[in-house]
Amino acid sequence: MEKDTRPMLEIKDLVVEYRTEEETVQAVNDINLTIRKGKSLGLVGETGAGKTTTALTILNLLPETTGRIVDGTIALDGDPIITKDSSGKSVAAKTDVEMQKIRGNKVAMIFQDPMTALNPIFTVGDQIAEAVQLHQKCTPKEAEKRAEEMLELVGIPGSRKTDYPHQFSGGMKQRVVIAMALACNPALLIADEPTTALDVTVQAQVLEMIKELKEKFGTSVLMITHDLGIIAEMCDEVSVMYAGSIVEHGTLEDIFDRTRHPYTRGLFNSLPNIKDRTARLKPIRGLMPDPSNLPKGCAFADRCDYATDRCREGKPTKRMLSDTHFVDCCLYEDGKDEDRL
Amino acid sequence: MIPVTVAVIFIVYLIMYLTPGDPVALLLGADATPELIAETRQKLGITDPFFVQFARYVWNLMRGDFGMSWYTGNPVSERLFAAIPYTVTLSLLGMLVALIISVPLGVIAAVRRNTVWDYSISVFAMIGVSAPTFWVGTMLILLFALEWKMLPSAFNNQWTSFILPTITQGFNMLASVVRTQRSSMLEVLSSDYVRTARAKGVSHFSATYKHALRNAVLPSITVAGLNFGQLVGGSVAIETVFAIPGVGRLMIDNIKLHDTPTVIGCMVFVSVMVSIINLLVDILYGLIDPRIKAQYVKGNKNGKRKNK
Amino acid sequence: MAKERTSKKKESQARQIWKRFRKNKIAMAALIVLGIIILAACSADLFWDYQKDACNIHVPQRLQKPSAEHWLGTDELGRDMLCRIVYGARASLTVGLAATTFALIIGGILGSISGYYGGKLDNVIMRCTDVLLAIPGLLLAIAIMSAFKPNVFYISLALGISYISKFTRIVRSAVLTVREQEYIEAAKAIGAKDHVIILKHLLMNCMAPIFVQYALAIGSRILSVSTLSYIGMGIQSPTPDWGNMLSGARAYIRGNSYLVLGPGIALLLTISAFNLIGDGLRDAMDPRLKK
């Protein structure tokens, strides 16, 4: 690891809740994430684990009426986004106008569903050009030209800039979304399940493209997905998220070759094994606990084959098993790095 | 649109054909001789089979001939064309006023939801969709004409006497559109593409008024188009309240007189007007929404654009 | 994200909807107001004699302002306003319910056939509703009324017919969304008869939007019946109806605003109660849309 590079994104002790009249949902529970410049981090987990919430929090775009940052800090390239005030309360460090200059410029985001991510009544060229004009001093003509270049870059003929989103297929729309996200050369790209809604062949193309662009421009990437294959393909480090917490974190090798957390193991066991097709899939039994009513102990205990009374009584202690490998599980409370699964 | 209009005329004609009422008695009075009655029946063509009568009616209609009034003996078109300007003016003005006021109100309610603004607008809209137009008209007369003496209570052809009927006529549509606009605005504001816009650095204001509003206005246009029929239908009551010599008033008066050709003429006119407005709404919709426009273009060119 | 949770709650859908509906204060208030109106309409005979108080003319007492004896005053023919307003609820509610139910039954049958079978039949039915929707509902009702005697039965019929096409549309689109679901396929696969599928599976599963429309439609029909009565094509005097009361008051409103306030507010309360209940049902069925 190149320890000399400064972190592009640093999230510390982040806690986010959704509050409605009926209930309070704890979407993110005390997570820490660091992405170094030019590196990419994979955030893996089931639907509802709090991955998208984390991403929206970085951009300060949580739903205004319900979303609330309870605790934690976020810094972008050393510049605080969420900070603590004198009484220790987490507050936004920047006004919305200041955030507008960061969104789409320094940090860009690709959303999960390309079918609904583009405004149906504006041409794709206009939508890309809008991003350019918001952040760069240029004439509308120049912005349009830049939009054309971006389309070419993602493999769409520039002449199609006057077409509307409904004239594109899903994969093409995602390319447009990516073109829009990259139009201002962001330092950090947040990709929220960028390929989940796409066909397999298109998935590969889109991933390949993100990878190429990342190498070309040295962009840091936060890749949110539930697909371990994508992680293996794209990422340098991996965080496994479960019920709003990060249960295991490490380098790609740590997670893939030295899997320690029962949940991570469960994710691997849920994948079909091509080499041994007679092996049965071992899906993780049960469902994620209700995030408005999390258990007292380990949130995974009810679904875990290794759970003991200890797991149900209290939260596990967080442990670093090596310099890079972190795990949040009662099995490793002695801090020894050995396979106990 | 034309087949629908012909079908509408057919239904109206059929209903009125089945309605009891003897035109000859109306025209000639009680003491006519049997020969004269028979001769008049022949002349009016009401001894012919239904379909012959209907075909003749449509044929004449295409030449602008609405037939002859059984009551006055003059062409229906004379009285109809005298009444049309009032009804058209009031309906269109009502719709215009409704749209101009309702869209901003709906947007305010959505943007400031769960505030006093939202609650008062919602209560106002609920009253608007629930109150009968004739009662609203009566209340307006009570307040503005009788109590404060600001405006005339009955129609007198001056522009001031258009104000209350216009408000009354537009009130119901105004309320429906406010409700639609509010909920569609709320939906669009939480849509993925508004979030995308925010994520690329678009300001709150621009996301609301540039990205969201144009999308959110589409359902309101639909609702306004659909409600136009109701708005025109309401003119029968409104023209009674304000004593306006319009088509609705003409129709009601002549139903009571069993003057079938006049009634049919009124109904046909109103239905055609509603169809035209709906056509205009479709065109407007296409102008705003490129997806709809593409459908029309594709439909006309038989999908030639496919391999672009 | 706080997405829909796959919770273990196994309550029936109807009970969940009712639970959410009960939390909606406005909708519950509307339900209570409506309950009071219905109760008053049913128990009117306990307080008044229909013929004597609501219909017979008492000229010496005409146009009296509200007083201890006549809480809402007397009308232009000397009849107690409160009494007539309460009896007027009967006509409005009866016609509203009857017309809507009639429209729902016919529209429901046409809509489910149209949605379930599709094809040519669907096309024909849809073209017919297109035509009927092109005629403003109120005018269609007026035209039909011109052929019949104005009594409750024919008024309900006319107002029902003019609403059939709307219900046909609503039921059809509800059926279309449910039709493609797997349990319908499953029912077909085990050889269930068509009418069983339509009645048991399709309609039961698209009850939600239909209920909402039912409540809203009653409000709309009551509005129409009052308009019909106002222009003299609906319920005829001396039978009390809010519409014909307002019509009768027309010449006397100068200085007698109580004549239009009473029946008008009764109409407003009743119709908005139905509308609010419809809105509340819709929110309860789709909590996502709730503000």
Side-chain angles (χ1 to χ4, degrees):
Chain A
M1 287 281 104
E2 303 135 86
K3 280 169 193 159
D4 50 307
T5 37
R6 283 186 300 137
M8 184 62 224
L9 172 73
E10 204 168 15
I11 300 180
K12 278 190 183 150
D13 310 322
L14 184 69
V15 180
V16 181
E17 286 177 355
Y18 289 111
R19 285 185 203 170
T20 59
E21 276 168 46
E22 286 126 44
E23 57 190 14
T24 299
V25 173
Q26 303 211 286
V28 173
N29 281 320
D30 194 13
I31 66 160
N32 292 282
L33 280 180
T34 306
I35 304 177
R36 291 188 181 79
K37 284 191 175 166
K39 293 290 170 188
S40 52
L41 172 78
L43 191 57
V44 209
E46 284 167 272
T47 304
K51 296 168 296 181
T52 304
T53 303
T54 309
L56 290 176
T57 312
I58 298 169
L59 289 174
N60 221 339
L61 278 180
L62 286 171
E64 281 165 52
T65 43
T66 52
R68 202 158 305 177
I69 298 159
V70 180
D71 194 15
T73 59
I74 296 177
L76 204 69
D77 202 3
D79 193 14
I81 301 283
I82 305 292
T83 176
K84 296 213 171 189
D85 64 11
S86 48
S87 63
K89 228 178 115 222
S90 285
V91 288
K94 299 197 177 299
T95 63
D96 200 51
V97 176
E98 287 169 325
M99 277 312 290
Q100 277 160 31
K101 289 183 187 134
I102 293 174
R103 294 182 199 126
N105 191 19
K106 205 164 191 179
V107 186
M109 186 158 172
I110 303 170
F111 291 97
Q112 183 169 356
D113 188 359
M115 304 311 283
T116 55
L118 293 169
N119 195 325
I121 58 167
F122 295 117
T123 65
V124 295
D126 284 348
Q127 294 191 52
I128 301 172
E130 189 184 21
V132 178
Q133 273 207 289
L134 281 167
H135 301 296
Q136 289 167 10
K137 276 185 190 158
C138 61
T139 61
K141 268 255 169 67
E142 285 162 357
E144 208 183 305
K145 204 161 156 268
R146 173 81 179 147
E148 215 173 316
E149 285 167 22
M150 287 315 295
L151 282 174
E152 300 271 358
L153 187 72
V154 295
I156 296 172
S159 59
R160 294 201 64 183
K161 66 178 184 213
T162 51
D163 282 357
Y164 289 94
H166 71 271
Q167 290 163 300
F168 291 85
S169 66
M172 297 284 257
K173 274 186 204 163
Q174 193 64 302
R175 284 164 188 260
V176 173
V177 173
I178 292 170
M180 201 158 80
L182 296 176
C184 299
N185 291 330
L188 172 65
L189 178 68
I190 303 171
D192 184 4
E193 310 218 14
T195 57
T196 310
L198 304 177
D199 289 342
V200 187
T201 47
V202 185
Q203 274 188 18
Q205 290 171 7
V206 168
L207 287 177
E208 195 53 41
M209 203 178 73
I210 296 179
K211 208 171 164 185
E212 262 172 40
L213 297 169
K214 174 195 152 199
E215 271 148 28
K216 201 163 156 190
F217 298 110
T219 312
S220 308
V221 178
L222 174 60
M223 174 66 70
I224 297 174
T225 179
H226 57 253
D227 186 335
L228 288 162
I230 294 178
I231 298 284
E233 179 82 7
M234 303 281 299
C235 299
D236 306 309
E237 287 180 61
V238 189
S239 287
V240 181
M241 199 163 181
Y242 181 78
S245 308
I246 287 177
V247 293
E248 189 168 7
H249 169 87
T251 60
L252 205 56
E253 293 76 26
D254 285 335
I255 301 295
F256 278 69
D257 301 336
R258 294 183 288 278
T259 313
R260 291 294 177 261
H261 197 282
Y263 177 67
T264 316
R265 172 55 57 84
L267 287 180
F268 280 112
N269 284 343
S270 304
L271 294 175
N273 186 342
I274 294 178
K275 284 174 207 136
D276 180 10
R277 286 213 243 176
T278 52
R280 295 189 64 126
L281 288 182
K282 278 184 273 173
I284 308 171
R285 62 194 153 87
L287 295 166
M288 217 164 52
D290 181 348
S292 62
N293 186 20
L294 287 176
K296 178 170 62 144
C298 172
F300 188 58
D302 281 343
R303 304 171 70 186
C304 179
D305 291 332
Y306 306 92
T308 60
D309 289 343
R310 157 74 189 92
C311 300
R312 294 190 180 88
E313 270 155 22
K315 297 271 180 230
T317 328
K318 297 170 183 184
R319 289 279 171 198
M320 291 302 290
L321 298 179
S322 69
D323 281 351
T324 54
H325 197 169
F326 157 89
V327 70
D328 186 13
C329 175
C330 303
L331 289 176
Y332 302 96
E333 287 191 320
D334 56 8
K336 281 188 194 144
D337 185 13
E338 55 185 24
D339 196 348
R340 291 174 190 179
L341 303 178
Chain B
M1 180 189 147
I2 288 166
V4 171
T5 311
V6 173
V8 166
I9 298 169
F10 176 78
I11 289 178
V12 172
Y13 201 85
L14 180 67
I15 294 172
M16 298 314 293
Y17 178 81
L18 299 172
T19 308
D22 189 358
V24 182
L26 275 175
L27 275 170
L28 301 176
D31 46 331
T33 59
E35 294 80 41
L36 190 59
I37 289 177
E39 193 189 325
T40 316
R41 278 176 175 276
Q42 203 75 43
K43 216 165 73 189
L44 285 173
I46 54 173
T47 48
D48 293 335
F50 170 73
F51 281 99
V52 175
Q53 288 191 43
F54 175 66
R56 187 167 53 219
Y57 185 78
V58 173
W59 175 246
N60 287 338
L61 196 62
M62 282 193 292
R63 298 178 315 186
D65 180 3
F66 283 81
M68 199 182 75
S69 164
W70 290 353
Y71 187 69
T72 62
N74 295 329
V76 169
S77 48
E78 263 176 32
R79 300 165 77 195
L80 191 57
F81 290 155
I84 283 173
Y86 299 107
T87 305
V88 170
T89 313
L90 282 175
S91 307
L92 293 184
L93 271 180
M95 184 167 174
L96 198 69
V97 168
L99 282 176
I100 288 173
I101 299 176
S102 58
V103 171
L105 280 187
V107 172
I108 292 172
V111 173
R112 312 203 165 184
R113 68 174 158 170
N114 294 345
T115 63
V116 181
W117 289 91
D118 181 20
Y119 295 140
S120 0
I121 291 171
S122 297
V123 168
F124 172 72
M126 181 42 83
I127 292 174
V129 291
S130 303
T133 46
F134 60 88
W135 182 66
V136 173
T138 312
M139 292 307 291
L140 289 178
I141 290 179
L142 260 177
L143 288 178
F144 290 92
L146 301 181
E147 195 68 31
W148 299 327
K149 303 196 186 333
M150 290 160 66
L151 295 164
S153 68
F155 191 73
N156 60 10
N157 259 325
Q158 265 158 12
W159 70 271
T160 45
S161 66
F162 274 98
I163 296 174
L164 292 184
T166 301
I167 296 172
T168 313
Q169 191 121 41
F171 195 55
N172 183 276
M173 179 186 281
L174 192 157
S176 312
V177 177
V178 166
R179 283 155 59 87
T180 314
Q181 181 68 36
R182 177 181 180 275
S183 63
S184 74
M185 194 70 188
L186 281 179
E187 203 177 314
V188 173
L189 281 178
S190 63
S191 72
D192 281 0
Y193 55 83
V194 169
R195 196 173 60 174
T196 309
R198 291 284 282 150
K200 73 180 176 190
V202 171
S203 69
H204 198 287
F205 183 85
S206 173
T208 307
Y209 294 100
K210 185 178 162 196
H211 286 264
L213 181 58
R214 261 184 77 186
N215 281 287
V217 100
L218 291 171
S220 294
I221 294 173
T222 312
V223 165
L226 285 175
N227 269 35
F228 186 72
Q230 203 182 334
L231 184 145
V232 178
S235 65
V236 293
I238 293 165
E239 289 173 5
T240 304
V241 173
F242 292 97
I244 300 166
V247 177
R249 185 82 229 142
L250 185 69
M251 179 175 148
I252 295 299
D253 289 346
N254 284 284
I255 282 180
K256 287 170 188 162
L257 298 169
H258 296 289
D259 186 353
T260 307
T262 309
V263 175
I264 296 178
C266 295
M267 296 268 300
V268 166
F269 165 74
V270 170
S271 304
V272 170
M273 177 158 105
V274 170
S275 301
I276 290 174
I277 290 293
N278 281 322
L279 189 73
L280 290 178
V281 163
D282 280 352
I283 292 170
L284 184 63
Y285 211 107
L287 286 180
I288 300 182
D289 190 340
R291 286 165 296 185
I292 306 288
K293 191 157 58 182
Q295 268 175 21
Y296 282 128
V297 175
K298 250 186 205 162
N300 292 342
K301 292 190 184 167
N302 270 332
K304 268 182 200 160
R305 272 169 60 100
K306 238 182 191 170
N307 300 320
K308 202 192 164 179
Chain C
M1 290 290 298
K3 280 191 185 144
E4 68 266 39
R5 287 170 285 110
T6 36
S7 62
K8 291 147 247 161
K9 289 170 204 156
K10 280 241 167 104
E11 280 170 288
S12 74
Q13 206 195 355
R15 274 190 61 182
Q16 275 191 29
I17 291 171
W18 170 238
K19 233 171 131 183
R20 282 196 291 262
F21 185 86
R22 231 172 26 193
K23 275 193 192 152
N24 185 341
K25 282 179 203 130
I26 296 171
M28 281 309 282
L31 200 61
I32 291 168
V33 167
L34 185 64
I36 293 171
I37 293 170
I38 292 175
L39 197 71
C42 292
S43 58
D45 288 333
L46 297 176
F47 307 102
W48 294 285
D49 180 325
Y50 176 68
Q51 192 58 42
K52 191 174 126 252
D53 296 322
C55 301
N56 289 355
I57 295 167
H58 314 278
V59 179
Q61 302 173 20
R62 69 195 290 266
L63 295 176
Q64 289 183 2
K65 296 250 149 60
S67 64
E69 196 189 348
H70 300 287
W71 290 0
L72 298 181
T74 60
D75 70 1
E76 68 282 359
L77 295 171
R79 297 168 293 201
D80 183 62
M81 287 291 285
L82 181 63
C83 165
R84 278 177 68 77
I85 287 172
V86 170
Y87 276 108
R90 288 187 172 180
S92 295
L93 290 171
T94 316
V95 174
L97 268 171
T100 310
T101 311
F102 174 73
L104 174 64
I105 292 171
I106 307 290
I109 293 172
L110 290 175
S112 38
I113 290 174
S114 184
Y116 183 71
Y117 291 106
K120 261 197 186 136
L121 201 56
D122 177 32
N123 233 320
V124 171
I125 293 176
M126 279 303 102
R127 290 295 80 75
C128 291
T129 60
D130 275 350
V131 172
L132 282 177
L133 281 174
I135 310 173
L138 188 66
L139 296 195
L140 185 62
I142 290 173
I144 297 170
M145 282 315 294
S146 66
F148 295 112
K149 278 200 184 68
N151 62 31
V152 170
F153 178 79
Y154 287 122
I155 296 169
S156 306
L157 192 72
L159 290 176
I161 290 174
S162 61
Y163 216 79
I164 288 176
S165 45
K166 277 199 186 140
F167 268 119
T168 309
R169 286 269 171 106
I170 290 156
V171 172
R172 175 176 174 271
S173 67
V175 167
L176 278 180
T177 52
V178 179
R179 190 180 69 173
E180 304 304 326
Q181 315 240 320
E182 268 132 39
Y183 52 82
I184 303 295
E185 291 291 317
K188 271 189 203 161
I190 60 169
K193 294 238 164 49
D194 275 359
H195 66 268
V196 176
I197 295 178
I198 290 182
L199 283 178
K200 194 170 158 195
H201 297 283
L202 279 180
L203 289 183
M204 287 318 271
N205 282 295
C206 44
M207 274 328 231
I210 295 172
F211 253 128
V212 173
Q213 286 305 322
Y214 188 72
L216 298 177
I218 295 177
S220 137
R221 295 304 78 190
I222 292 178
L223 201 120
S224 297
V225 69
S226 70
T227 310
L228 273 186
S229 302
Y230 182 79
I231 56 174
M233 312 251 356
I235 292 168
Q236 305 289 310
S237 213
T239 306
D241 172 88
W242 298 329
N244 69 29
M245 289 172 75
L246 285 166
S247 165
R250 254 171 70 208
Y252 308 96
I253 55 171
R254 191 182 292 267
N256 296 312
S257 52
Y258 70 93
L259 284 178
V260 283
L261 278 176
I265 288 171
L267 269 169
L268 187 63
L269 275 181
T270 314
I271 297 166
S272 50
F274 280 109
N275 285 338
L276 288 169
I277 291 169
D279 282 2
L281 274 177
R282 177 163 42 206
D283 289 346
M285 282 161 187
D286 195 352
R288 196 172 50 87
L289 289 178
K290 220 190 126 194
K291 39 187 174 168

